[in-house]
Amino acid sequence: MTVAIEGVGTSGFGRQPDVDLVDLAFAAVDEAFRDAGGPRTVDAVWVGTVFGPAGVAQRVLRAMGLTGMPVLTVENACASGTTAFAEACEAVRTGRYGRVLALGIERMGDGAIVPEPTDPEGRTGLALPALYAMAAARWLHEGRTTLEQLAAVAVKNKANALANPRAPFGGRFTVAEVLASRPIADPLTLLQCCPTSDGAAAAIVGRGGSGGGGVRVRSVALRSGAPWNHRSREVWGHDLVRDTGAAAFAAAGLGPEDVDVAEVHDAFTIGELVTTAALGLKAPHIVNPSGGLLSRGHPLGATGLAQLAEIVWQLRGRAGGRQVGRARIGLVETMGGGVSVLDGNACVVAVLEAP
Amino acid sequence: MGAVSSVDPRPVVVAGPAGDGLVEGRRCTACAEPSAFTWPACPTCGGPVEPARFGPGGTVWSATVVRIPVADRTPPYALAYVDLDDGPRVLAHSAAPLPIGARVRLLAAAELKVERT
Ligand SMILES: [Zn+2]
């Protein structure tokens, strides 16, 4: 069965401690329903969140009159929102439900995420910037990147964000300024790390309706990491992204050369470089036209659906000043999670086609 | 954020005969993969495991210096992924930053810690 994204929406992003999560969620869902048109009803809801308290999904949904239908909450680290989306797509594809809401929500604390103390490496002090720093240091050692190429990712994405009103952390920076910003975990500096952000993002997934205006979901793949250990030739996360991307491309009957625009997980500059390589994308200028996580900030559960919204707008040719040409095929990639000995907790890759 | 547990999830370090540190881990009896942890089965194949000790020698696979406060740790502090000889890759602290490829030895300390040899 054909699966289509009928509507997308997001809240604003950035630190918003004074805005109720109920209002952030409503902003995203209301925009998605208005975008989709038709009845403001769905058969089921999948909600992605990482730090949301127990019951948070029902709490935000009842405040907008979405009650009674099945509601499922999923946690898959940074890929929680795209996991909710993947499950929504699968529910529609298999005919289990006709129309499903995928919602990502997150309220973050201030500063870097405190590593999980029940995880060995979290307890050892390996904050997420340090995990990515390990990858960056290794790539520098292997001659696969330079400090300047790392910084150039931040320069590009933050400049892209100048045309994106939903990306509060954009700006015009030079490579030298990025490298001179405050060191976080060597070799990564502050401007190479995504800021924390609160926010919500949503997508209405269905069979495309009668109008034919929906963006078609060519494929969506979801995987968790295999062991990452002394046998791993690649840096953390690379193989998980590669394998999830390969599964998504195979299911879509397409390859990386077919992708016109992509939103990938640039939580840190090295993340974009590793991900782009792992997916086989060849043209950096089609990657993260929204400004990415580096400019949107990273409301964990909401991030994947915010990426998805950007690709939907791009494929409809409605991305304004940041429109990437006449994009026909778009890709969304989210990955994350620092569970020791695994190559990432989860990765989702979706391949989408313009209406 | 589950309930509080008194279990320390980090690898157990024991003193070796030469005063170095050894990781008290497991080796899979099915696929021979080493693990730095006392988990009940092999992370690679799910097979049964038996006690095994690894170290003290190893090689730095990657390294960083953390320059922000993390939990109760005071920055800066150096971390390295170290591939122990015929053993697992472990995350270890070091007093000084370590270059990739450096030979190190595990110290007999409560927390995994290495120094250059
Ligand atoms: Zn095994």
Side-chain angles (χ1 to χ4, degrees):
Chain A
M1 192 171 301
T2 298
V3 180
I5 301 164
E6 300 181 359
V8 291
T10 80
S11 69
F13 297 105
R15 291 291 293 123
Q16 311 172 71
D18 302 328
V19 182
D20 194 335
L21 201 52
V22 159
D23 294 310
L24 293 173
F26 178 72
V29 174
D30 180 56
E31 184 181 9
F33 271 132
R34 280 190 282 113
D35 187 32
R40 295 171 72 94
T41 58
V42 288
D43 302 320
V45 185
W46 262 268
V47 176
T49 183
V50 177
F51 296 119
V56 67
Q58 286 83 354
R59 205 168 287 123
V60 300
L61 292 169
R62 59 95 158 96
M64 59 184 92
L66 292 174
T67 62
M69 77 285 285
V71 173
L72 297 101
T73 306
V74 295
E75 186 278 305
N76 240 349
C78 310
S80 295
T82 26
T83 296
F85 172 72
E87 291 302 298
C89 289
E90 199 58 11
V92 171
R93 188 185 69 78
T94 58
R96 182 179 177 192
Y97 299 120
R99 197 177 197 226
V100 180
L101 168 64
L103 171 64
I105 51 176
E106 209 70 64
R107 154 112 38 234
M108 303 292 294
D110 284 313
I113 298 167
V114 177
E116 173 55 43
T118 61
D119 185 80
E121 291 175 8
R123 181 76 78 96
T124 304
L126 189 77
L128 281 161
L131 179 54
Y132 280 90
M134 291 281 195
R138 184 73 196 181
W139 263 41
L140 288 168
H141 173 77
E142 292 177 0
R144 296 172 77 171
T145 191
T146 64
L147 289 175
E148 290 71 24
Q149 286 170 335
L150 282 169
V153 173
V155 171
K156 169 181 72 77
N157 290 358
K158 286 176 179 289
N160 286 351
L162 292 171
N164 184 0
R166 302 184 202 225
F169 303 105
R172 224 169 266 300
F173 296 94
T174 65
V175 164
E177 285 168 339
V178 170
L179 293 176
S181 63
R182 187 158 63 86
I184 300 297
D186 299 350
L188 300 178
T189 55
L190 182 66
L191 289 172
Q192 302 187 59
C193 305
C194 64
T196 53
S197 171
D198 306 318
I204 311 289
V205 178
R207 292 162 186 163
S210 53
V215 165
R216 186 179 162 203
V217 181
R218 289 289 294 260
S219 68
V220 55
L222 161 65
R223 285 188 175 217
S224 287
W228 182 80
N229 58 28
H230 53 283
R231 296 205 186 282
S232 302
R233 297 176 60 86
E234 292 284 357
V235 296
W236 176 85
H238 174 280
D239 292 355
L240 173 59
V241 173
R242 179 196 61 200
D243 295 347
T244 311
F249 283 130
L254 297 169
E257 65 282 359
D258 298 311
V259 174
D260 299 312
V261 62
E263 287 277 310
V264 309
H265 198 74
D266 63 331
F268 303 88
T269 49
I270 182 66
E272 178 169 318
L273 296 182
V274 170
T275 300
T276 302
L279 291 171
L281 300 176
K282 294 291 189 289
H285 71 274
I286 65 163
V287 175
N288 288 330
S290 74
L293 282 62
L294 287 168
S295 308
R296 189 187 303 115
H298 188 13
L300 306 187
T303 282
L305 284 157
Q307 294 175 305
L308 187 84
E310 173 69 14
I311 292 301
V312 166
W313 294 323
Q314 289 281 346
L315 293 176
R316 289 174 179 165
R318 299 220 306 255
R322 59 187 193 282
Q323 181 67 40
V324 178
R326 286 164 50 87
R328 291 284 312 159
I329 298 295
L331 178 142
V332 173
E333 178 273 348
T334 332
M335 78 85 65
V339 168
S340 297
V341 181
L342 290 186
D343 198 23
N345 298 13
C347 178
V348 174
V349 175
V351 179
L352 311 177
E353 182 176 1
Chain B
M1 278 193 275
V4 175
S5 164
S6 62
V7 176
D8 189 330
R10 292 172 292 186
V12 174
V13 182
V14 296
D20 298 317
L22 299 174
V23 168
E24 180 82 56
R26 295 287 184 269
R27 191 180 288 277
C28 179
T29 61
C31 78
E33 278 290 82
S35 166
F37 303 96
T38 56
W39 298 336
C42 171
T44 296
C45 80
V49 291
E50 60 185 14
R53 291 183 169 184
F54 308 106
T59 304
V60 175
W61 190 83
S62 192
T64 185
V65 176
V66 180
R67 300 195 181 273
I68 53 171
V70 176
D72 55 352
R73 293 179 189 275
T74 306
Y77 58 93
L79 290 171
Y81 274 120
V82 174
D83 289 341
L84 296 174
D85 299 342
D86 191 33
R89 179 170 296 169
V90 294
L91 178 69
H93 285 259
S94 64
L98 293 168
I100 292 173
R103 288 291 300 169
V104 295
R105 71 181 185 101
L106 197 55
L107 304 179
E111 183 167 61
L112 267 169
K113 193 168 184 180
V114 294
E115 69 176 16
R116 286 188 88 164
T117 56

